[in-house]
Amino acid sequence: MRTYGNWIDNRWAAPSEGAFIDSIDPTTGEVWAQIAGSTAVDVDSAVRAARTAFTTGPWASMRAAERGKLLCRLGDRLAERADDLAALETRDNGKRTVDILPGLQTWLADSFWYYGGLADKVAGDVLPVDVPGIFNYTRREPFGVVGCITAWNSPLLIAIWKIAPALAAGNTVVVKPSEHASVSTLALAEVFADLLPPGVLNVVTGFGDRCGEPLVGHEDVRMVSFTGSVPGGRKVAEVASRTVTPTVMELGGKSPQIVFADVDLDDAAHGVAMGLFPPAGQSCVAGSRLIVHRSIQDELVERIATVAASARLGAPTDPATQIGPLANEPHFRRVLESIARAEREGARRVLGGSPVTPEGTCGWFVEPTIFVDVDSASDLFREEVFGPVLAVVPFDDEDEAIALANDTSYGLAAGIWTDDQLKAMRVADAIEAGTVYVNNYFTSATQSPVGGYKQSGYGRENGTAALDAFLQIKSVWLNTAPGIANPFPQE
Ligand code: TXE
């Protein structure tokens, strides 16, 4: 079993209080590694290393074009080491290796290639200000040290979506991954060690209150990018407000999938099931509310149930596995409690709902679960389960479908399944969410922004918007006229 310290200044550093946290493999339930249980002292060491790297040394003097080429090399390195990193993430959080690997080899490596290409395209403006004798221009500048806090469901994806634009903008970074899944992020930093100058990328691990909060509140951390739950985001935003630190919030969701009566029922069944069950519901954009035209509800639910029930649950390292375990025991218990609460609220379970123990696992698995007769006022309709649990509600007309879809405090994503593209565009315009899928789900690309409306957060990841989030604007006014007038001329 390996014990990991913090990654600070391109080297391992033991936690100041000598505390460690067990990393538990959700497939076996066994401790497979240990990570540092860090405190404000360790956070301060990391921030100081990042600050030094930002103000002095090779990173501070590196030209944007050189920085861009370096980021492209990080993308190459990520693709080269994808197998090792994917294996670590599977042990960290039970995500299927076959789901992690392609990302690391292609579209996550592309994050570094895409932002590497943008690094020397960060331009300011010369403004045609109507002020005689004045030349005005702007510069877009990095913040300095930025703090990146990530969740356990896709640690490498979430960290890379922050690290790549943050570095492209010229910042230095301190990452605090989730205490439930920190190893793959630590390994990512180590894999980059010979490419990045010391202090440019640092990783400190530990609990949210003891390690995450000191990072957010540190006076030298000039911007924070957070990915996690709404409660977690609220706490981070509150602490950040004390030092007026700007934040980006990528929070939870309870995303609707609207199915109109004009679709092919097998296609819709495949699509809705694909929008929730493969990651065991553990995706922030998972489509966990099915809003279906009343005329096809029973038939569609039956077909979704057939598709979902056929999924093979098992060890995430087994290529034959189609749904892996829930990522940690507390979350496994929370999902079961959500199911029990849904039944107490009167919803009718038509599929699943029970834990299962596939061979060779410790049993932190929950069957794909479907509830109908769901009250739109119930917790099941309103609260994120972050598990393989679909809540079904019927509608009769388009306006009612839109109203039900938007009847949530969240606004992260939505799916629309219809054969009528004009209807799809009309409904997409009316949906209050940062991402809308039409006849597809979970699709993403580095070029396209991701983020929430309402309490799903603010700010964007991916696209040029993510680079803008890691930059601040300075306006410079040059006086080109001779002499400076006396402010108090005497007659
Ligand atoms: O979140 P938590 P989890 C959401 C998903 C779900 C949640 C699951 O919807 O709601 O994340 O991840 C740290 N000060 N998304 O349970 O508990 C904590 O240590 C500073 C949305 O991990 O909020 C961890 O590192 N830090 C997302 C991180 O916050 C604190 C995609 C998240 O923890 C802290 C994926 C504090 N007071 C999951 N408290 C999206 N929208 O893209 C906790 N942390």
Side-chain angles (χ1 to χ4, degrees), residues 276-277 288 304 308 335-336 339 342-343 349-355 366-371 387-392:
L276 175 62
F277 294 118
S288 55
I304 296 171
V335 170
L336 289 176
I339 291 171
E343 298 199 310
R349 180 160 48 87
V350 294
L351 179 74
S354 301
V366 173
E367 298 169 309
T369 302
I370 300 176
F371 282 98
V389 182
L390 183 65
V392 182

mmCIF file with all atom_site columns, all heavy atoms in Angstrom, residues 276-277 288 304 308 335-336 339 342-343 349-355 366-371 387-392:
data_model
loop_
_atom_site.group_PDB
_atom_site.id
_atom_site.type_symbol
_atom_site.label_atom_id
_atom_site.label_alt_id
_atom_site.label_comp_id
_atom_site.label_asym_id
_atom_site.label_entity_id
_atom_site.label_seq_id
_atom_site.pdbx_PDB_ins_code
_atom_site.Cartn_x
_atom_site.Cartn_y
_atom_site.Cartn_z
_atom_site.occupancy
_atom_site.B_iso_or_equiv
_atom_site.pdbx_formal_charge
_atom_site.auth_seq_id
_atom_site.auth_comp_id
_atom_site.auth_asym_id
_atom_site.auth_atom_id
_atom_site.pdbx_PDB_model_num
ATOM 1   N N   . LEU A 1 276 ? -28.392 8.447  -17.710 1.00 0.00 ? 276 LEU A N   1
ATOM 2   C CA  . LEU A 1 276 ? -28.361 8.358  -16.239 1.00 0.00 ? 276 LEU A CA  1
ATOM 3   C C   . LEU A 1 276 ? -27.543 7.186  -15.733 1.00 0.00 ? 276 LEU A C   1
ATOM 4   O O   . LEU A 1 276 ? -26.685 7.322  -14.866 1.00 0.00 ? 276 LEU A O   1
ATOM 5   C CB  . LEU A 1 276 ? -29.790 8.228  -15.695 1.00 0.00 ? 276 LEU A CB  1
ATOM 6   C CG  . LEU A 1 276 ? -29.909 7.997  -14.184 1.00 0.00 ? 276 LEU A CG  1
ATOM 7   C CD1 . LEU A 1 276 ? -29.340 9.158  -13.383 1.00 0.00 ? 276 LEU A CD1 1
ATOM 8   C CD2 . LEU A 1 276 ? -31.355 7.712  -13.774 1.00 0.00 ? 276 LEU A CD2 1
ATOM 9   N N   . PHE A 1 277 ? -27.791 5.977  -16.243 1.00 0.00 ? 277 PHE A N   1
ATOM 10  C CA  . PHE A 1 277 ? -27.331 4.765  -15.559 1.00 0.00 ? 277 PHE A CA  1
ATOM 11  C C   . PHE A 1 277 ? -25.854 4.370  -15.743 1.00 0.00 ? 277 PHE A C   1
ATOM 12  O O   . PHE A 1 277 ? -25.254 3.830  -14.810 1.00 0.00 ? 277 PHE A O   1
ATOM 13  C CB  . PHE A 1 277 ? -28.233 3.596  -15.949 1.00 0.00 ? 277 PHE A CB  1
ATOM 14  C CG  . PHE A 1 277 ? -29.649 3.739  -15.452 1.00 0.00 ? 277 PHE A CG  1
ATOM 15  C CD1 . PHE A 1 277 ? -30.710 3.812  -16.333 1.00 0.00 ? 277 PHE A CD1 1
ATOM 16  C CD2 . PHE A 1 277 ? -29.919 3.847  -14.089 1.00 0.00 ? 277 PHE A CD2 1
ATOM 17  C CE1 . PHE A 1 277 ? -32.028 3.956  -15.879 1.00 0.00 ? 277 PHE A CE1 1
ATOM 18  C CE2 . PHE A 1 277 ? -31.220 4.013  -13.613 1.00 0.00 ? 277 PHE A CE2 1
ATOM 19  C CZ  . PHE A 1 277 ? -32.273 4.068  -14.508 1.00 0.00 ? 277 PHE A CZ  1
ATOM 20  N N   . SER A 1 288 ? -31.740 12.739 -14.361 1.00 0.00 ? 288 SER A N   1
ATOM 21  C CA  . SER A 1 288 ? -32.375 11.901 -13.330 1.00 0.00 ? 288 SER A CA  1
ATOM 22  C C   . SER A 1 288 ? -33.877 12.135 -13.204 1.00 0.00 ? 288 SER A C   1
ATOM 23  O O   . SER A 1 288 ? -34.542 11.463 -12.422 1.00 0.00 ? 288 SER A O   1
ATOM 24  C CB  . SER A 1 288 ? -31.708 12.163 -11.975 1.00 0.00 ? 288 SER A CB  1
ATOM 25  O OG  . SER A 1 288 ? -31.746 13.558 -11.688 1.00 0.00 ? 288 SER A OG  1
ATOM 26  N N   . ILE A 1 304 ? -37.454 1.366  -20.887 1.00 0.00 ? 304 ILE A N   1
ATOM 27  C CA  . ILE A 1 304 ? -36.264 1.839  -20.154 1.00 0.00 ? 304 ILE A CA  1
ATOM 28  C C   . ILE A 1 304 ? -35.902 0.814  -19.085 1.00 0.00 ? 304 ILE A C   1
ATOM 29  O O   . ILE A 1 304 ? -34.735 0.460  -18.911 1.00 0.00 ? 304 ILE A O   1
ATOM 30  C CB  . ILE A 1 304 ? -36.512 3.218  -19.504 1.00 0.00 ? 304 ILE A CB  1
ATOM 31  C CG1 . ILE A 1 304 ? -36.744 4.283  -20.557 1.00 0.00 ? 304 ILE A CG1 1
ATOM 32  C CG2 . ILE A 1 304 ? -35.330 3.619  -18.596 1.00 0.00 ? 304 ILE A CG2 1
ATOM 33  C CD1 . ILE A 1 304 ? -37.219 5.617  -19.982 1.00 0.00 ? 304 ILE A CD1 1
ATOM 34  N N   . ALA A 1 308 ? -32.360 -0.958 -18.689 1.00 0.00 ? 308 ALA A N   1
ATOM 35  C CA  . ALA A 1 308 ? -31.571 -0.763 -17.466 1.00 0.00 ? 308 ALA A CA  1
ATOM 36  C C   . ALA A 1 308 ? -31.350 -2.082 -16.733 1.00 0.00 ? 308 ALA A C   1
ATOM 37  O O   . ALA A 1 308 ? -30.264 -2.363 -16.232 1.00 0.00 ? 308 ALA A O   1
ATOM 38  C CB  . ALA A 1 308 ? -32.279 0.232  -16.548 1.00 0.00 ? 308 ALA A CB  1
ATOM 39  N N   . VAL A 1 335 ? -27.517 7.038  -1.127  1.00 0.00 ? 335 VAL A N   1
ATOM 40  C CA  . VAL A 1 335 ? -28.399 6.669  -2.244  1.00 0.00 ? 335 VAL A CA  1
ATOM 41  C C   . VAL A 1 335 ? -29.495 5.733  -1.760  1.00 0.00 ? 335 VAL A C   1
ATOM 42  O O   . VAL A 1 335 ? -30.677 5.912  -2.084  1.00 0.00 ? 335 VAL A O   1
ATOM 43  C CB  . VAL A 1 335 ? -27.594 6.032  -3.386  1.00 0.00 ? 335 VAL A CB  1
ATOM 44  C CG1 . VAL A 1 335 ? -28.521 5.432  -4.443  1.00 0.00 ? 335 VAL A CG1 1
ATOM 45  C CG2 . VAL A 1 335 ? -26.670 7.064  -4.050  1.00 0.00 ? 335 VAL A CG2 1
ATOM 46  N N   . LEU A 1 336 ? -29.145 4.754  -0.928  1.00 0.00 ? 336 LEU A N   1
ATOM 47  C CA  . LEU A 1 336 ? -30.163 3.836  -0.398  1.00 0.00 ? 336 LEU A CA  1
ATOM 48  C C   . LEU A 1 336 ? -31.176 4.593  0.450   1.00 0.00 ? 336 LEU A C   1
ATOM 49  O O   . LEU A 1 336 ? -32.389 4.313  0.379   1.00 0.00 ? 336 LEU A O   1
ATOM 50  C CB  . LEU A 1 336 ? -29.504 2.722  0.421   1.00 0.00 ? 336 LEU A CB  1
ATOM 51  C CG  . LEU A 1 336 ? -28.705 1.678  -0.380  1.00 0.00 ? 336 LEU A CG  1
ATOM 52  C CD1 . LEU A 1 336 ? -28.035 0.689  0.565   1.00 0.00 ? 336 LEU A CD1 1
ATOM 53  C CD2 . LEU A 1 336 ? -29.588 0.950  -1.397  1.00 0.00 ? 336 LEU A CD2 1
ATOM 54  N N   . ILE A 1 339 ? -33.650 6.325  -1.761  1.00 0.00 ? 339 ILE A N   1
ATOM 55  C CA  . ILE A 1 339 ? -34.647 5.384  -2.292  1.00 0.00 ? 339 ILE A CA  1
ATOM 56  C C   . ILE A 1 339 ? -35.718 5.101  -1.240  1.00 0.00 ? 339 ILE A C   1
ATOM 57  O O   . ILE A 1 339 ? -36.924 5.127  -1.528  1.00 0.00 ? 339 ILE A O   1
ATOM 58  C CB  . ILE A 1 339 ? -33.947 4.087  -2.743  1.00 0.00 ? 339 ILE A CB  1
ATOM 59  C CG1 . ILE A 1 339 ? -33.091 4.363  -3.995  1.00 0.00 ? 339 ILE A CG1 1
ATOM 60  C CG2 . ILE A 1 339 ? -34.959 2.974  -3.027  1.00 0.00 ? 339 ILE A CG2 1
ATOM 61  C CD1 . ILE A 1 339 ? -32.177 3.218  -4.403  1.00 0.00 ? 339 ILE A CD1 1
ATOM 62  N N   . ALA A 1 342 ? -37.963 8.048  -0.917  1.00 0.00 ? 342 ALA A N   1
ATOM 63  C CA  . ALA A 1 342 ? -38.889 8.170  -2.060  1.00 0.00 ? 342 ALA A CA  1
ATOM 64  C C   . ALA A 1 342 ? -40.108 7.284  -1.842  1.00 0.00 ? 342 ALA A C   1
ATOM 65  O O   . ALA A 1 342 ? -41.244 7.660  -2.118  1.00 0.00 ? 342 ALA A O   1
ATOM 66  C CB  . ALA A 1 342 ? -38.168 7.784  -3.344  1.00 0.00 ? 342 ALA A CB  1
ATOM 67  N N   . GLU A 1 343 ? -39.883 6.103  -1.296  1.00 0.00 ? 343 GLU A N   1
ATOM 68  C CA  . GLU A 1 343 ? -41.023 5.187  -1.062  1.00 0.00 ? 343 GLU A CA  1
ATOM 69  C C   . GLU A 1 343 ? -41.916 5.722  0.051   1.00 0.00 ? 343 GLU A C   1
ATOM 70  O O   . GLU A 1 343 ? -43.148 5.684  -0.046  1.00 0.00 ? 343 GLU A O   1
ATOM 71  C CB  . GLU A 1 343 ? -40.484 3.798  -0.746  1.00 0.00 ? 343 GLU A CB  1
ATOM 72  C CG  . GLU A 1 343 ? -39.689 3.236  -1.937  1.00 0.00 ? 343 GLU A CG  1
ATOM 73  C CD  . GLU A 1 343 ? -39.526 1.720  -1.888  1.00 0.00 ? 343 GLU A CD  1
ATOM 74  O OE1 . GLU A 1 343 ? -39.110 1.231  -0.823  1.00 0.00 ? 343 GLU A OE1 1
ATOM 75  O OE2 . GLU A 1 343 ? -39.828 1.074  -2.915  1.00 0.00 ? 343 GLU A OE2 1
ATOM 76  N N   . ARG A 1 349 ? -42.129 2.322  -6.936  1.00 0.00 ? 349 ARG A N   1
ATOM 77  C CA  . ARG A 1 349 ? -40.909 1.783  -7.538  1.00 0.00 ? 349 ARG A CA  1
ATOM 78  C C   . ARG A 1 349 ? -41.288 0.695  -8.552  1.00 0.00 ? 349 ARG A C   1
ATOM 79  O O   . ARG A 1 349 ? -41.949 -0.274 -8.203  1.00 0.00 ? 349 ARG A O   1
ATOM 80  C CB  . ARG A 1 349 ? -40.007 1.205  -6.451  1.00 0.00 ? 349 ARG A CB  1
ATOM 81  C CG  . ARG A 1 349 ? -38.707 0.611  -6.950  1.00 0.00 ? 349 ARG A CG  1
ATOM 82  C CD  . ARG A 1 349 ? -37.686 0.517  -5.825  1.00 0.00 ? 349 ARG A CD  1
ATOM 83  N NE  . ARG A 1 349 ? -38.258 -0.082 -4.637  1.00 0.00 ? 349 ARG A NE  1
ATOM 84  C CZ  . ARG A 1 349 ? -38.301 -1.399 -4.398  1.00 0.00 ? 349 ARG A CZ  1
ATOM 85  N NH1 . ARG A 1 349 ? -37.855 -2.246 -5.328  1.00 0.00 ? 349 ARG A NH1 1
ATOM 86  N NH2 . ARG A 1 349 ? -38.810 -1.880 -3.284  1.00 0.00 ? 349 ARG A NH2 1
ATOM 87  N N   . VAL A 1 350 ? -40.866 0.875  -9.820  1.00 0.00 ? 350 VAL A N   1
ATOM 88  C CA  . VAL A 1 350 ? -41.185 -0.134 -10.845 1.00 0.00 ? 350 VAL A CA  1
ATOM 89  C C   . VAL A 1 350 ? -39.941 -0.902 -11.292 1.00 0.00 ? 350 VAL A C   1
ATOM 90  O O   . VAL A 1 350 ? -40.037 -1.848 -12.072 1.00 0.00 ? 350 VAL A O   1
ATOM 91  C CB  . VAL A 1 350 ? -41.841 0.536  -12.076 1.00 0.00 ? 350 VAL A CB  1
ATOM 92  C CG1 . VAL A 1 350 ? -43.194 1.114  -11.710 1.00 0.00 ? 350 VAL A CG1 1
ATOM 93  C CG2 . VAL A 1 350 ? -40.933 1.601  -12.674 1.00 0.00 ? 350 VAL A CG2 1
ATOM 94  N N   . LEU A 1 351 ? -38.764 -0.466 -10.795 1.00 0.00 ? 351 LEU A N   1
ATOM 95  C CA  . LEU A 1 351 ? -37.545 -1.231 -11.103 1.00 0.00 ? 351 LEU A CA  1
ATOM 96  C C   . LEU A 1 351 ? -36.532 -1.025 -9.991  1.00 0.00 ? 351 LEU A C   1
ATOM 97  O O   . LEU A 1 351 ? -36.387 0.100  -9.474  1.00 0.00 ? 351 LEU A O   1
ATOM 98  C CB  . LEU A 1 351 ? -36.925 -0.763 -12.423 1.00 0.00 ? 351 LEU A CB  1
ATOM 99  C CG  . LEU A 1 351 ? -35.632 -1.490 -12.830 1.00 0.00 ? 351 LEU A CG  1
ATOM 100 C CD1 . LEU A 1 351 ? -35.960 -2.905 -13.329 1.00 0.00 ? 351 LEU A CD1 1
ATOM 101 C CD2 . LEU A 1 351 ? -34.856 -0.712 -13.892 1.00 0.00 ? 351 LEU A CD2 1
ATOM 102 N N   . GLY A 1 352 ? -35.798 -2.085 -9.647  1.00 0.00 ? 352 GLY A N   1
ATOM 103 C CA  . GLY A 1 352 ? -34.604 -1.986 -8.821  1.00 0.00 ? 352 GLY A CA  1
ATOM 104 C C   . GLY A 1 352 ? -34.866 -1.518 -7.421  1.00 0.00 ? 352 GLY A C   1
ATOM 105 O O   . GLY A 1 352 ? -35.867 -1.850 -6.811  1.00 0.00 ? 352 GLY A O   1
ATOM 106 N N   . GLY A 1 353 ? -33.905 -0.728 -6.895  1.00 0.00 ? 353 GLY A N   1
ATOM 107 C CA  . GLY A 1 353 ? -34.034 -0.164 -5.547  1.00 0.00 ? 353 GLY A CA  1
ATOM 108 C C   . GLY A 1 353 ? -33.213 -0.872 -4.511  1.00 0.00 ? 353 GLY A C   1
ATOM 109 O O   . GLY A 1 353 ? -33.091 -0.399 -3.379  1.00 0.00 ? 353 GLY A O   1
ATOM 110 N N   . SER A 1 354 ? -32.609 -2.012 -4.871  1.00 0.00 ? 354 SER A N   1
ATOM 111 C CA  . SER A 1 354 ? -31.873 -2.776 -3.845  1.00 0.00 ? 354 SER A CA  1
ATOM 112 C C   . SER A 1 354 ? -30.368 -2.754 -4.094  1.00 0.00 ? 354 SER A C   1
ATOM 113 O O   . SER A 1 354 ? -29.925 -2.651 -5.230  1.00 0.00 ? 354 SER A O   1
ATOM 114 C CB  . SER A 1 354 ? -32.352 -4.236 -3.863  1.00 0.00 ? 354 SER A CB  1
ATOM 115 O OG  . SER A 1 354 ? -33.736 -4.266 -3.599  1.00 0.00 ? 354 SER A OG  1
ATOM 116 N N   . PRO A 1 355 ? -29.605 -2.923 -3.010  1.00 0.00 ? 355 PRO A N   1
ATOM 117 C CA  . PRO A 1 355 ? -28.150 -3.097 -3.188  1.00 0.00 ? 355 PRO A CA  1
ATOM 118 C C   . PRO A 1 355 ? -27.873 -4.483 -3.762  1.00 0.00 ? 355 PRO A C   1
ATOM 119 O O   . PRO A 1 355 ? -28.676 -5.410 -3.568  1.00 0.00 ? 355 PRO A O   1
ATOM 120 C CB  . PRO A 1 355 ? -27.617 -2.967 -1.764  1.00 0.00 ? 355 PRO A CB  1
ATOM 121 C CG  . PRO A 1 355 ? -28.758 -3.333 -0.867  1.00 0.00 ? 355 PRO A CG  1
ATOM 122 C CD  . PRO A 1 355 ? -30.013 -2.958 -1.615  1.00 0.00 ? 355 PRO A CD  1
ATOM 123 N N   . VAL A 1 366 ? -25.899 -0.316 -6.352  1.00 0.00 ? 366 VAL A N   1
ATOM 124 C CA  . VAL A 1 366 ? -27.359 -0.216 -6.282  1.00 0.00 ? 366 VAL A CA  1
ATOM 125 C C   . VAL A 1 366 ? -27.918 -0.490 -7.672  1.00 0.00 ? 366 VAL A C   1
ATOM 126 O O   . VAL A 1 366 ? -27.412 0.034  -8.664  1.00 0.00 ? 366 VAL A O   1
ATOM 127 C CB  . VAL A 1 366 ? -27.806 1.180  -5.801  1.00 0.00 ? 366 VAL A CB  1
ATOM 128 C CG1 . VAL A 1 366 ? -29.324 1.332  -5.885  1.00 0.00 ? 366 VAL A CG1 1
ATOM 129 C CG2 . VAL A 1 366 ? -27.330 1.431  -4.367  1.00 0.00 ? 366 VAL A CG2 1
ATOM 130 N N   . GLU A 1 367 ? -28.945 -1.326 -7.715  1.00 0.00 ? 367 GLU A N   1
ATOM 131 C CA  . GLU A 1 367 ? -29.567 -1.648 -9.010  1.00 0.00 ? 367 GLU A CA  1
ATOM 132 C C   . GLU A 1 367 ? -30.077 -0.372 -9.682  1.00 0.00 ? 367 GLU A C   1
ATOM 133 O O   . GLU A 1 367 ? -30.512 0.548  -8.982  1.00 0.00 ? 367 GLU A O   1
ATOM 134 C CB  . GLU A 1 367 ? -30.788 -2.550 -8.793  1.00 0.00 ? 367 GLU A CB  1
ATOM 135 C CG  . GLU A 1 367 ? -30.522 -3.893 -8.165  1.00 0.00 ? 367 GLU A CG  1
ATOM 136 C CD  . GLU A 1 367 ? -31.842 -4.555 -7.774  1.00 0.00 ? 367 GLU A CD  1
ATOM 137 O OE1 . GLU A 1 367 ? -32.651 -3.903 -7.097  1.00 0.00 ? 367 GLU A OE1 1
ATOM 138 O OE2 . GLU A 1 367 ? -32.044 -5.712 -8.177  1.00 0.00 ? 367 GLU A OE2 1
ATOM 139 N N   . PRO A 1 368 ? -30.062 -0.294 -11.001 1.00 0.00 ? 368 PRO A N   1
ATOM 140 C CA  . PRO A 1 368 ? -30.795 0.781  -11.664 1.00 0.00 ? 368 PRO A CA  1
ATOM 141 C C   . PRO A 1 368 ? -32.236 0.798  -11.159 1.00 0.00 ? 368 PRO A C   1
ATOM 142 O O   . PRO A 1 368 ? -32.878 -0.260 -11.070 1.00 0.00 ? 368 PRO A O   1
ATOM 143 C CB  . PRO A 1 368 ? -30.731 0.399  -13.136 1.00 0.00 ? 368 PRO A CB  1
ATOM 144 C CG  . PRO A 1 368 ? -29.491 -0.441 -13.267 1.00 0.00 ? 368 PRO A CG  1
ATOM 145 C CD  . PRO A 1 368 ? -29.402 -1.197 -11.983 1.00 0.00 ? 368 PRO A CD  1
ATOM 146 N N   . THR A 1 369 ? -32.679 1.986  -10.764 1.00 0.00 ? 369 THR A N   1
ATOM 147 C CA  . THR A 1 369 ? -33.959 2.116  -10.057 1.00 0.00 ? 369 THR A CA  1
ATOM 148 C C   . THR A 1 369 ? -34.852 3.138  -10.753 1.00 0.00 ? 369 THR A C   1
ATOM 149 O O   . THR A 1 369 ? -34.352 4.180  -11.200 1.00 0.00 ? 369 THR A O   1
ATOM 150 C CB  . THR A 1 369 ? -33.679 2.562  -8.605  1.00 0.00 ? 369 THR A CB  1
ATOM 151 O OG1 . THR A 1 369 ? -32.821 1.607  -7.988  1.00 0.00 ? 369 THR A OG1 1
ATOM 152 C CG2 . THR A 1 369 ? -34.973 2.700  -7.807  1.00 0.00 ? 369 THR A CG2 1
ATOM 153 N N   . ILE A 1 370 ? -36.141 2.811  -10.882 1.00 0.00 ? 370 ILE A N   1
ATOM 154 C CA  . ILE A 1 370 ? -37.096 3.733  -11.513 1.00 0.00 ? 370 ILE A CA  1
ATOM 155 C C   . ILE A 1 370 ? -38.322 3.887  -10.625 1.00 0.00 ? 370 ILE A C   1
ATOM 156 O O   . ILE A 1 370 ? -38.877 2.887  -10.143 1.00 0.00 ? 370 ILE A O   1
ATOM 157 C CB  . ILE A 1 370 ? -37.537 3.216  -12.901 1.00 0.00 ? 370 ILE A CB  1
ATOM 158 C CG1 . ILE A 1 370 ? -36.331 3.064  -13.843 1.00 0.00 ? 370 ILE A CG1 1
ATOM 159 C CG2 . ILE A 1 370 ? -38.557 4.175  -13.522 1.00 0.00 ? 370 ILE A CG2 1
ATOM 160 C CD1 . ILE A 1 370 ? -36.683 2.459  -15.212 1.00 0.00 ? 370 ILE A CD1 1
ATOM 161 N N   . PHE A 1 371 ? -38.714 5.130  -10.395 1.00 0.00 ? 371 PHE A N   1
ATOM 162 C CA  . PHE A 1 371 ? -39.939 5.437  -9.646  1.00 0.00 ? 371 PHE A CA  1
ATOM 163 C C   . PHE A 1 371 ? -40.923 6.168  -10.557 1.00 0.00 ? 371 PHE A C   1
ATOM 164 O O   . PHE A 1 371 ? -40.538 7.108  -11.264 1.00 0.00 ? 371 PHE A O   1
ATOM 165 C CB  . PHE A 1 371 ? -39.637 6.346  -8.449  1.00 0.00 ? 371 PHE A CB  1
ATOM 166 C CG  . PHE A 1 371 ? -39.033 5.656  -7.258  1.00 0.00 ? 371 PHE A CG  1
ATOM 167 C CD1 . PHE A 1 371 ? -37.666 5.677  -7.042  1.00 0.00 ? 371 PHE A CD1 1
ATOM 168 C CD2 . PHE A 1 371 ? -39.851 4.987  -6.353  1.00 0.00 ? 371 PHE A CD2 1
ATOM 169 C CE1 . PHE A 1 371 ? -37.108 5.051  -5.936  1.00 0.00 ? 371 PHE A CE1 1
ATOM 170 C CE2 . PHE A 1 371 ? -39.305 4.357  -5.235  1.00 0.00 ? 371 PHE A CE2 1
ATOM 171 C CZ  . PHE A 1 371 ? -37.929 4.395  -5.029  1.00 0.00 ? 371 PHE A CZ  1
ATOM 172 N N   . GLY A 1 387 ? -27.242 9.172  -7.886  1.00 0.00 ? 387 GLY A N   1
ATOM 173 C CA  . GLY A 1 387 ? -27.215 7.710  -7.947  1.00 0.00 ? 387 GLY A CA  1
ATOM 174 C C   . GLY A 1 387 ? -28.099 7.225  -9.082  1.00 0.00 ? 387 GLY A C   1
ATOM 175 O O   . GLY A 1 387 ? -28.760 8.042  -9.751  1.00 0.00 ? 387 GLY A O   1
ATOM 176 N N   . PRO A 1 388 ? -28.186 5.905  -9.293  1.00 0.00 ? 388 PRO A N   1
ATOM 177 C CA  . PRO A 1 388 ? -28.916 5.352  -10.451 1.00 0.00 ? 388 PRO A CA  1
ATOM 178 C C   . PRO A 1 388 ? -30.413 5.300  -10.218 1.00 0.00 ? 388 PRO A C   1
ATOM 179 O O   . PRO A 1 388 ? -31.033 4.232  -10.228 1.00 0.00 ? 388 PRO A O   1
ATOM 180 C CB  . PRO A 1 388 ? -28.331 3.941  -10.569 1.00 0.00 ? 388 PRO A CB  1
ATOM 181 C CG  . PRO A 1 388 ? -27.990 3.579  -9.157  1.00 0.00 ? 388 PRO A CG  1
ATOM 182 C CD  . PRO A 1 388 ? -27.559 4.854  -8.488  1.00 0.00 ? 388 PRO A CD  1
ATOM 183 N N   . VAL A 1 389 ? -31.016 6.461  -9.978  1.00 0.00 ? 389 VAL A N   1
ATOM 184 C CA  . VAL A 1 389 ? -32.426 6.537  -9.590  1.00 0.00 ? 389 VAL A CA  1
ATOM 185 C C   . VAL A 1 389 ? -33.148 7.529  -10.496 1.00 0.00 ? 389 VAL A C   1
ATOM 186 O O   . VAL A 1 389 ? -32.825 8.715  -10.516 1.00 0.00 ? 389 VAL A O   1
ATOM 187 C CB  . VAL A 1 389 ? -32.580 6.975  -8.113  1.00 0.00 ? 389 VAL A CB  1
ATOM 188 C CG1 . VAL A 1 389 ? -34.048 6.990  -7.719  1.00 0.00 ? 389 VAL A CG1 1
ATOM 189 C CG2 . VAL A 1 389 ? -31.774 6.060  -7.193  1.00 0.00 ? 389 VAL A CG2 1
ATOM 190 N N   . LEU A 1 390 ? -34.121 7.012  -11.270 1.00 0.00 ? 390 LEU A N   1
ATOM 191 C CA  . LEU A 1 390 ? -34.863 7.842  -12.223 1.00 0.00 ? 390 LEU A CA  1
ATOM 192 C C   . LEU A 1 390 ? -36.249 8.152  -11.672 1.00 0.00 ? 390 LEU A C   1
ATOM 193 O O   . LEU A 1 390 ? -36.973 7.243  -11.246 1.00 0.00 ? 390 LEU A O   1
ATOM 194 C CB  . LEU A 1 390 ? -35.004 7.096  -13.556 1.00 0.00 ? 390 LEU A CB  1
ATOM 195 C CG  . LEU A 1 390 ? -35.684 7.842  -14.708 1.00 0.00 ? 390 LEU A CG  1
ATOM 196 C CD1 . LEU A 1 390 ? -34.856 9.049  -15.152 1.00 0.00 ? 390 LEU A CD1 1
ATOM 197 C CD2 . LEU A 1 390 ? -35.932 6.893  -15.884 1.00 0.00 ? 390 LEU A CD2 1
ATOM 198 N N   . ALA A 1 391 ? -36.604 9.422  -11.645 1.00 0.00 ? 391 ALA A N   1
ATOM 199 C CA  . ALA A 1 391 ? -37.929 9.862  -11.180 1.00 0.00 ? 391 ALA A CA  1
ATOM 200 C C   . ALA A 1 391 ? -38.767 10.206 -12.402 1.00 0.00 ? 391 ALA A C   1
ATOM 201 O O   . ALA A 1 391 ? -38.333 11.007 -13.238 1.00 0.00 ? 391 ALA A O   1
ATOM 202 C CB  . ALA A 1 391 ? -37.796 11.082 -10.272 1.00 0.00 ? 391 ALA A CB  1
ATOM 203 N N   . VAL A 1 392 ? -39.955 9.611  -12.537 1.00 0.00 ? 392 VAL A N   1
ATOM 204 C CA  . VAL A 1 392 ? -40.771 9.775  -13.741 1.00 0.00 ? 392 VAL A CA  1
ATOM 205 C C   . VAL A 1 392 ? -42.002 10.621 -13.452 1.00 0.00 ? 392 VAL A C   1
ATOM 206 O O   . VAL A 1 392 ? -42.718 10.374 -12.471 1.00 0.00 ? 392 VAL A O   1
ATOM 207 C CB  . VAL A 1 392 ? -41.212 8.409  -14.296 1.00 0.00 ? 392 VAL A CB  1
ATOM 208 C CG1 . VAL A 1 392 ? -42.022 8.598  -15.586 1.00 0.00 ? 392 VAL A CG1 1
ATOM 209 C CG2 . VAL A 1 392 ? -40.000 7.512  -14.547 1.00 0.00 ? 392 VAL A CG2 1
#
